[in-house]
């Protein structure tokens, strides 16, 4: 239902699943993902803001159940970044800061960090900070050499910045 962009129906299903077993962490993560889609796709800013808060709460519940849940940190950081892109400049700065705080907290707690570093590179891209963006992706590849996504994004960035040899080197292992 989520992939079919039927977020309201997906939300109903995930809430039913949580009623069946409220101790399954991944259900709260999934609820956060669905609510994040609703926060971005709802036209009314007031209703979207309500979905934003609900999504944040769902991700926080998942993190409370397991503080090393890299997917929930990544989802929450992405939620804040996407919201920053949607709202005005003053509020955007606040949500970029929140995104960076979640990324920093997650980097201290989780074992697999490449997803958080990729979100960090997306924040830097949105801010127009290419050196920090490259640095975040290089760190993601260094810390998770088997991460195909991090290698792909870094290789693509190297290619776009006219560094084909570096692109080859980073992509060669995969």
């Amino acid at each position: 239902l989520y992939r079919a962009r039927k977020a309201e129906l997906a939300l109903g299903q995930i809430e039913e699943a949580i009623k069946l077993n409220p101790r399954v962490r991944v259900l709260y993560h999934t609820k956060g993902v669905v609510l994040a889609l609703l926060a971005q796709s709802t036209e009314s800013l007031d209703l979207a803001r309500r979905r934003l808060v609900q999504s944040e709460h769902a991700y926080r519940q998942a993190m409370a159940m397991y503080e090393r849940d890299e997917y929930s940190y990544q989802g929450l950081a992405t939620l804040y970044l996407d919201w920053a892109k949607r709202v005005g400049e003053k509020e955007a700065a606040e949500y970029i800061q929140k995104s960076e705080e979640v990324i920093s907290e997650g980097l201290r707690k989780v074992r697999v960090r490449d997803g958080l570093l990729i979100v960090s590179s997306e924040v830097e891209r949105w801010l127009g900070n290419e050196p920090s963006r490259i640095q975040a992706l290089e760190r993601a590849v260094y810390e998770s050499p088997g991460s195909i996504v991090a290698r792909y994004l870094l290789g693509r960035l190297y290619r776009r910045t006219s560094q084909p040899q570096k692109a080859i080197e980073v992509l060669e292992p995969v």
Side-chain angles (χ1 to χ4, degrees):
L1 293 172
Y2 172 84
R3 288 186 187 121
R5 299 298 230 190
K6 297 182 182 198
E8 290 291 344
L9 292 173
L11 181 60
Q13 290 297 305
I14 200 66
E15 286 178 344
E16 288 298 317
I18 289 172
K19 285 179 189 174
L20 290 173
N21 192 347
R23 292 182 302 275
V24 178
R25 172 179 39 97
V26 71
L27 295 176
Y28 294 98
H29 172 267
T30 303
K31 183 177 179 179
V33 170
V34 171
L35 287 164
L37 174 62
L38 286 168
Q40 288 303 309
S41 61
T42 301
E43 288 185 34
S44 164
L45 199 57
D46 288 336
L47 292 175
R49 194 175 305 280
R50 191 173 313 152
R51 295 301 193 188
L52 170 80
V53 170
Q54 291 171 334
S55 178
E56 177 183 20
H57 180 71
Y59 283 126
R60 295 272 182 207
Q61 277 185 286
M63 290 167 16
M65 294 171 91
Y66 180 61
E67 72 173 6
R68 294 179 181 266
D69 181 7
E70 67 265 15
Y71 298 112
S72 292
Y73 283 101
Q74 183 178 346
L76 185 56
T78 301
L79 173 72
Y80 291 149
L81 173 60
D82 290 344
W83 189 257
K85 292 176 183 178
R86 181 173 178 168
V87 295
E89 193 174 304
K90 182 180 178 187
E91 191 177 353
E94 176 186 336
Y95 277 91
I96 287 297
Q97 181 180 349
K98 284 184 168 192
S99 182
E100 287 291 349
E101 288 170 0
V102 169
I103 291 167
S104 293
E105 180 184 350
L107 289 174
R108 287 189 306 274
K109 293 184 178 180
V110 305
R111 288 191 179 106
V112 181
R113 297 180 177 101
D114 60 323
L116 285 168
L117 292 167
I118 290 169
V119 175
S120 179
S121 78
E122 289 300 313
V123 169
E124 298 301 339
R125 180 175 100 175
W126 191 69
L127 293 174
N129 188 345
E130 285 300 306
S132 292
R133 179 180 177 206
I134 292 170
Q135 207 171 31
L137 288 173
E138 287 173 339
R139 186 172 168 201
V141 170
Y142 175 77
E143 290 187 8
S144 297
S147 173
I148 296 169
V149 174
R151 284 185 179 278
Y152 166 76
L153 293 172
L154 182 57
R156 184 177 69 178
L157 185 57
Y158 281 152
R159 185 181 54 79
R160 288 184 177 166
T161 57
S162 302
Q163 300 178 62
Q165 188 56 44
K166 283 187 171 185
I168 291 169
E169 290 169 9
V170 79
L171 293 172
E172 194 171 43
V174 293

